[in-house]
Amino acid sequence: MATDLRIDRLRKEFQSPGGETVVAVNDVSLRIEKGSLVTLLGPSGCGKTTLLRLIAGFEEPTAGSVYFGDRRVNDEAPNVRDTAMVFQSYAIFPHLNVFENVAFGLRMKRVSGREVRRRVDHVLDLVGLGRMAARAPSQLSGGQQQRVALARCIVMEPGLLLFDEPLSNLDAKLREQMRLEIRDLQQRLGITSVYVTHDQVEAMSISDVLVVMHDGTVEQIGSPSQVYARPANRFVADFIGKVNFVKATLAAGAVTVAGVRWPVPDAPDLPDGSPVTLVLRPEAVRLSATEGPLAGTIRRTVFLGNHAEYVVSVDGVGDVLVDEPNPIDAGMRRPGDKVSLSPVSGSLHVLPATS
C-alpha cells in the first residue's frame, strides 16, 4: 500500500581516504505525498543517489530522520522498509526466465504458488511482457529487461518505489518510450515513487515534483513548470534547460536592458535601480525583421528539425540564444541578418544579481 515519505534534516558524511570529512547530503528536508512521483535531479556528485540509498536503508544517516507515514525507519533494515528499487543495471538473474525473475521476491517471502502465479501473470501483462514469461534474459532487448526489473519491484506491492537512474543504459528513443511507460504505470497503480536522474528532460516529463540538488543540498522544490519558469537561483536556471543570463536594472516592476524597458511579473522586492540578472529562455524571445528597440545581428544558425537555434549579437547585451519553431515553414534566417528582439509577455524572470 502506497505511503507518504518525510525526510527531516537528513545528513550523511563520509570519510575520504585522506581522512577528510565529505558531506554528501547536507541537512535535507522534504515531504513526498502518497501516490506522487518525485524526482531527485542534479549533476553527478550532488548527493541524489546517496539520498535515495538513505531512504532505502542501504546507507545509515549521520543525522536526521526518515519517516514512512508516521513510522521512523532509521533503524529498520532495507528488507523490512516496504520499498523496492529499480537499479540502473537491471540486476536481473541471467539463469532464471522472465517469470521466475519476477516471482523471485514472492518466493523468498513464501507466498503460495497460486498467489505467485496470479500476481506475476498480472504484473507481466501490465508491463507488456505477458507472452514472454518463458524467455531467458539473454533473449530480451534492453527495454524488455528494464520492464522485467520494473515488474519484479511492482509485484511486491511496495509502499515506496525507488528508481536509481533506471534508463541511463538505453538509447535515446527507447529511453523516451520507457519513461512514458513508467509514468503511465506509476499513475495507474498509485505507487509513491522517488526517481533519481541527471537528465532534465526525463525529470520534467515524468514528475509531479522536482527536487533540484547541488553539493548535497536542495536548491529548489516545485512542479516541473514552476522550477523551469521561476528558478530559485542561477544554478537551477542554468541546470534546467537552456537559458540566457542578461544584466539588467530593476525599477517599478520592470527591467531595463540596454535602454529598453520590459515589465516583469513577480519582480523581487528590491530598491529601484538595483542590478539584477534577467533569466531569459531561448523560446521566450521573438525575432522580427522590422526595426525595434532592441536590435541585433544573427551571428550563428543551427537547424534542429522542429526548431531553429540562433545566436544573436546585441549591442550592450552580448550574445542571446533564441529558438524559433517550425523553420521549414517559416524559413531559416541567415548569419548577418538584422533583427529586433522582444520577450514573450509574462515569460521574464528576475534574480538578484548576487544569486
Side-chain angles (χ1 to χ4, degrees), residues 229-309:
R230 298 289 181 261
N233 53 44
R234 190 179 178 113
F235 169 81
V236 175
D238 198 24
F239 189 76
I240 306 291
K242 298 176 182 178
V243 67
N244 299 289
F245 294 115
V246 179
K247 293 181 180 179
T249 303
L250 181 68
V255 290
T256 300
V257 177
V260 181
R261 192 171 182 272
W262 291 329
V264 177
D266 304 320
D269 186 14
L270 295 171
D272 285 355
S274 295
V276 293
T277 298
L278 180 64
V279 177
L280 193 59
R281 298 290 185 186
E283 70 277 8
V285 184
R286 295 290 179 261
L287 298 180
S288 172
T290 59
E291 288 191 14
L294 195 63
T297 304
I298 301 288
R299 190 170 67 80
R300 189 177 71 222
T301 68
V302 180
F303 175 75
L304 294 170
N306 63 345
H307 72 282
E309 183 179 276

Side-chain angles (χ1 to χ4, degrees), residues 290-330:
T290 59
E291 288 191 14
L294 195 63
T297 304
I298 301 288
R299 190 170 67 80
R300 189 177 71 222
T301 68
V302 180
F303 175 75
L304 294 170
N306 63 345
H307 72 282
E309 183 179 276
Y310 300 107
V311 175
V312 184
S313 180
V314 180
D315 288 342
V317 176
D319 286 346
V320 177
L321 186 65
V322 181
D323 285 349
E324 279 197 324
N326 198 13
I328 292 178
D329 183 53

Side-chain angles (χ1 to χ4, degrees), residues 20-353:
E20 180 185 2
T21 298
V22 177
V23 180
V25 174
N26 188 8
D27 198 30
V28 169
S29 297
L30 62 96
R31 178 139 193 181
I32 297 173
E33 294 183 0
K34 183 186 299 184
S36 63
L37 191 156
V38 174
T39 296
L40 308 179
L41 175 67
S44 297
C46 72
K48 58 187 184 295
T49 296
T50 301
L51 180 55
L52 191 76
R53 291 176 62 84
L54 289 166
I55 294 168
F58 298 142
E59 301 283 355
E60 293 185 7
T62 307
S65 300
V66 179
Y67 294 90
F68 290 2
D70 296 325
R71 188 173 96 250
R72 187 176 185 269
V73 299
N74 286 44
D75 300 324
E76 294 184 5
N79 63 311
V80 297
R81 287 199 180 191
D82 193 23
T83 65
M85 184 178 288
V86 182
F87 293 96
Q88 179 178 342
S89 60
Y90 313 149
I92 58 180
F93 301 115
H95 62 291
L96 298 179
N97 65 22
V98 168
F99 184 95
E100 290 302 327
N101 260 286
V102 177
F104 182 81
L106 297 176
R107 297 200 191 283
M108 292 293 291
K109 288 196 169 186
R110 302 186 183 279
V111 176
S112 70
R114 179 179 295 180
E115 181 65 5
V116 168
R117 169 62 64 179
R118 184 191 69 80
R119 286 167 65 172
V120 173
D121 284 347
H122 174 65
V123 168
L124 288 179
D125 285 339
L126 277 178
V127 299
L129 296 176
R131 297 181 179 180
M132 301 181 183
R135 289 193 186 181
S138 61
Q139 297 174 303
L140 303 178
S141 68
Q144 290 165 344
Q145 290 183 44
Q146 187 57 277
R147 289 189 185 95
V148 174
L150 181 58
R152 188 175 54 189
C153 291
I154 292 171
V155 79
M156 301 304 294
E157 299 177 354
L160 190 63
L161 187 56
L162 309 176
F163 295 87
D164 185 13
E165 304 205 45
L167 307 182
S168 59
N169 291 331
L170 304 178
D171 63 58
K173 287 189 73 68
L174 187 54
R175 196 160 60 237
E176 182 178 355
Q177 176 187 339
M178 282 301 301
R179 71 186 182 223
L180 295 175
E181 290 184 12
I182 287 174
R183 178 54 168 164
D184 179 65
L185 194 59
Q186 184 270 333
Q187 288 183 308
R188 280 193 286 150
L189 298 175
I191 300 178
T192 311
S193 301
V194 183
Y195 193 104
V196 163
T197 185
H198 62 271
D199 187 313
Q200 301 96 320
V201 174
E202 186 175 306
M204 288 193 290
S205 65
I206 67 171
S207 307
D208 295 304
V209 176
L210 291 182
V211 179
V212 184
M213 297 187 65
H214 180 52
D215 288 342
T217 63
V218 172
E219 297 286 346
Q220 187 170 359
I221 299 173
S223 70
S225 60
Q226 288 170 340
V227 172
Y228 184 82
R230 298 289 181 261
N233 53 44
R234 190 179 178 113
F235 169 81
V236 175
D238 198 24
F239 189 76
I240 306 291
K242 298 176 182 178
V243 67
N244 299 289
F245 294 115
V246 179
K247 293 181 180 179
T249 303
L250 181 68
V255 290
T256 300
V257 177
V260 181
R261 192 171 182 272
W262 291 329
V264 177
D266 304 320
D269 186 14
L270 295 171
D272 285 355
S274 295
V276 293
T277 298
L278 180 64
V279 177
L280 193 59
R281 298 290 185 186
E283 70 277 8
V285 184
R286 295 290 179 261
L287 298 180
S288 172
T290 59
E291 288 191 14
L294 195 63
T297 304
I298 301 288
R299 190 170 67 80
R300 189 177 71 222
T301 68
V302 180
F303 175 75
L304 294 170
N306 63 345
H307 72 282
E309 183 179 276
Y310 300 107
V311 175
V312 184
S313 180
V314 180
D315 288 342
V317 176
D319 286 346
V320 177
L321 186 65
V322 181
D323 285 349
E324 279 197 324
N326 198 13
I328 292 178
D329 183 53
M332 287 287 293
R333 302 179 190 274
R334 298 179 180 181
D337 285 354
K338 301 296 183 181
V339 294
S340 60
L341 289 75
S342 59
V344 176
S345 177
S347 65
L348 301 180
H349 181 57
V350 169
L351 297 172

